[in-house]
Amino acid sequence: MRSLWQGASPSEGLSPGALDRASLHTHWLTIRRGRRRPANRPPRTEPASERGDRPVMGSGMDRRLFIRIACSASALLVAADAAAADAPRPGKSPRRRVVMIDPGHGGRDPGAIGVRGTLEKDVTLAIARETARRLDQQFGVLAGLTRRDDRFLGLSERVALGRRAGADLFVSIHADSAPAKEARGLSAYTLSEEASDSFASALAKQENRADAIGGVDLGDTKKVVRDILFDLAARHTKHASLVAKRGLVAGAGRDLPLLENPMRSANFAVLKAPDVPSVLIETGFLSNEDDEAILRDPKARLRIAAVLARELAGVVSRDPFA
């Protein structure tokens, strides 16, 4: 806004305080009163005591100064109208945040299979459905699902669904087999070309094979990966993903067991939306007997979903999402 009134000195009657319409209108009338009189109109005489401090535009006044002040005042009026149009209307609810939840695997891709035969695709769907339901009904967050039943979706399809929904946050839910059987507990991952450690790297390679299971030819993706990672350098997407990961782990850790070093990163294909902050959550590992016992229990799944919904709602209600 400064550029609209910059250049007019306080003595000319235009200042940042003149942004309200009443002040601008008064200023405009003051200028109009000082216009030069037509040649056929006799000059009006009045005592100096009655003129007071009212500015008078005499023949010696620079007309360009008048034009500049008049244009500035007109521009301010237009800007004030635009600001009023953009301002939130009384009683209008703020925009609801959108979270796209992605239940990992599905259809002909079962994902990890536990010692007792628990299928990852079933675990992720159950937790994702309940998380979405709670987000919508309990917290007022619009929650979408990349799949609502047992079907196969390519990794690029999942990413595209999140982008088309205009999601504020994309969350992929998993319960994989860990590189080490003793590994257990919840963990969260963000995208990185270089994995944070060998554990995260192994998980990413395992997850990225999902398209191959579905018969999708990935071809040479090196250029695509470079382009996407370049786009991910956008401050909001990268920063928001990290903020979401930290918030989810910190909050969930109060109620759920966490993996040692629960915040990691790797080159997960499903996290490659360039304009949607994305996080992958491992709710536990079916390769661990204790975790499998929890993940196959319907009541335990409800508890996990309740914690995730609570933390996701909190994350998208704060900066940089709010």
Side-chain angles (χ1 to χ4, degrees), residues 171-196:
V171 181
S172 193
I173 305 292
H174 289 265
D176 283 292
S177 292
K181 287 188 176 181
E182 63 272 15
R184 63 169 308 210
L186 182 142
S187 51
Y189 304 77
T190 47
L191 180 66
S192 174
E193 187 174 10
E194 296 294 330
S196 58

Side-chain angles (χ1 to χ4, degrees), residues 214-237:
V216 178
D217 181 12
L218 293 176
D220 184 6
T221 61
K222 290 183 180 179
K223 183 180 184 303
V224 175
V225 170
R226 285 198 303 270
D227 291 343
I228 290 175
L229 288 174
F230 176 80
D231 291 336
L232 279 172
R235 181 170 303 192
H236 173 75
T237 300

Side-chain angles (χ1 to χ4, degrees), residues 32-311:
R32 287 180 61 85
R33 291 192 188 103
R35 288 184 305 176
R36 298 180 65 179
R37 297 183 182 85
N40 60 352
R41 180 182 298 177
R44 177 182 175 184
T45 59
E46 59 182 11
S49 59
E50 293 183 14
R51 288 198 302 267
D53 295 330
R54 188 175 66 197
V56 177
M57 181 172 291
S59 57
M61 180 141 186
D62 188 352
R63 292 178 58 82
R64 288 176 297 180
L65 176 62
F66 167 74
I67 294 172
R68 184 176 65 183
I69 296 173
C71 290
S72 297
S74 299
L76 282 168
L77 288 170
V78 172
D81 286 338
D86 291 339
R89 296 178 182 178
K92 184 179 180 180
S93 301
R95 182 180 72 84
R96 293 176 69 186
R97 298 298 163 188
V98 180
V99 174
M100 179 60 73
I101 303 177
D102 171 46
H105 308 281
R108 57 184 175 273
D109 172 20
I113 302 176
V115 177
R116 300 173 63 183
T118 309
L119 301 181
E120 182 183 3
K121 67 176 184 178
D122 296 335
V123 172
T124 60
L125 183 59
I127 293 175
R129 278 175 168 174
E130 180 62 16
T131 302
R133 186 189 70 81
R134 286 177 176 268
L135 279 172
D136 185 63
Q137 296 182 10
Q138 187 174 346
F139 297 101
V141 175
L142 288 174
L145 289 165
T146 56
R147 67 179 181 95
R148 297 178 177 274
D149 50 26
D150 186 18
R151 68 177 65 191
F152 175 82
L153 285 176
L155 299 177
S156 60
E157 292 179 79
R158 298 169 188 265
V159 174
L161 286 169
R163 297 186 71 189
R164 283 203 297 269
D168 294 287
L169 180 63
F170 179 92
V171 181
S172 193
I173 305 292
H174 289 265
D176 283 292
S177 292
K181 287 188 176 181
E182 63 272 15
R184 63 169 308 210
L186 182 142
S187 51
Y189 304 77
T190 47
L191 180 66
S192 174
E193 187 174 10
E194 296 294 330
S196 58
D197 49 58
S198 59
F199 184 97
S201 177
L203 281 180
K205 290 178 181 177
Q206 183 173 291
E207 281 303 317
N208 294 346
R209 285 198 294 268
D211 275 348
I213 292 173
V216 178
D217 181 12
L218 293 176
D220 184 6
T221 61
K222 290 183 180 179
K223 183 180 184 303
V224 175
V225 170
R226 285 198 303 270
D227 291 343
I228 290 175
L229 288 174
F230 176 80
D231 291 336
L232 279 172
R235 181 170 303 192
H236 173 75
T237 300
K238 189 173 184 178
H239 174 63
S241 298
L242 292 172
V243 169
K245 177 174 69 173
R246 293 169 187 154
L248 288 169
V249 169
R254 298 196 300 264
D255 300 286
L256 301 174
L258 298 177
L259 176 71
E260 183 182 359
N261 185 15
M263 292 184 286
R264 306 183 187 225
S265 58
N267 195 17
F268 289 92
V270 78
L271 302 182
K272 291 180 179 178
D275 50 357
V276 179
S278 304
V279 179
L280 184 145
I281 296 177
E282 292 284 2
T283 55
F285 296 98
L286 288 175
S287 51
N288 180 278
E289 292 185 9
D290 294 330
D291 268 5
E292 184 184 13
I294 294 172
L295 293 170
R296 67 183 284 113
D297 181 2
K299 290 184 179 179
R301 292 174 182 175
L302 291 177
R303 182 165 176 262
I304 293 171
V307 171
L308 290 180
R310 179 193 71 201
E311 297 308 320

